[in-house]
Amino acid sequence: MSADIDPERAAAQRQIRNLIEGAIDDLPEIFRVVFVMREIEAMSIEETAGILSLEPGTVKTRLHRARRLLRQALDEQLASTLTEAFPFEGRRCKQTADRVLARLQLATP
């Protein structure tokens, strides 16, 4: 690892990579194989279809579904992580609410 790389940033990148790898691993096999071939191995639709004995349209559909499933899985995992990382409660919540209310009162004619 280079001395220029921030250790916190490197740790965050590892966590993100692990999160994505886990989501890919959890895909149903028919979608995971197509996703890996197209997105990770950078194979063309035709190459992927030929190797898997599929129609090109099937490859496109499976890739689309794999992306959708990944997005859903990552959204679910990140939503709970963000809620835990940035709780909106306590003193900070009260301060924010007070500032919003003060601005609203100033804006009211």
Side-chain angles (χ1 to χ4, degrees), residues 61-75:
T61 299
R62 288 184 183 180
L63 179 60
H64 174 75
R65 290 181 181 164
R67 288 176 179 158
R68 189 183 72 227
L69 290 169
L70 279 174
R71 224 177 353 262
Q72 289 171 347
L74 293 171
D75 281 349

Side-chain angles (χ1 to χ4, degrees), residues 30-79:
I30 64 170
F31 301 130
R32 183 178 59 246
V33 170
V34 170
F35 181 84
V36 169
M37 292 175 79
R38 292 281 293 125
E39 298 295 338
I40 297 174
E41 299 297 329
M43 296 177 125
S44 70
I45 291 170
E46 292 75 20
E47 290 172 313
T48 304
I51 291 170
L52 297 176
S53 300
L54 297 171
E55 293 294 322
T58 303
V59 170
K60 291 178 186 179
T61 299
R62 288 184 183 180
L63 179 60
H64 174 75
R65 290 181 181 164
R67 288 176 179 158
R68 189 183 72 227
L69 290 169
L70 279 174
R71 224 177 353 262
Q72 289 171 347
L74 293 171
D75 281 349
E76 289 169 11
Q77 291 177 0
L78 291 175

Side-chain angles (χ1 to χ4, degrees), residues 1-2 4-22 74 78:
M1 187 179 298
S2 165
D4 295 353
I5 296 178
D6 176 14
E8 289 179 11
R9 181 178 178 156
Q13 288 174 334
R14 276 193 304 277
Q15 288 176 331
I16 292 168
R17 184 175 52 246
N18 290 338
L19 185 69
I20 293 169
E21 286 175 357
L74 293 171
L78 291 175

Side-chain angles (χ1 to χ4, degrees), residues 80-97:
S80 65
T81 301
L82 288 174
T83 300
E84 293 167 10
F86 301 105
F88 194 64
E89 57 187 44
R91 189 181 65 159
R92 182 173 178 209
C93 177
K94 183 174 177 353
Q95 290 172 342
T96 302

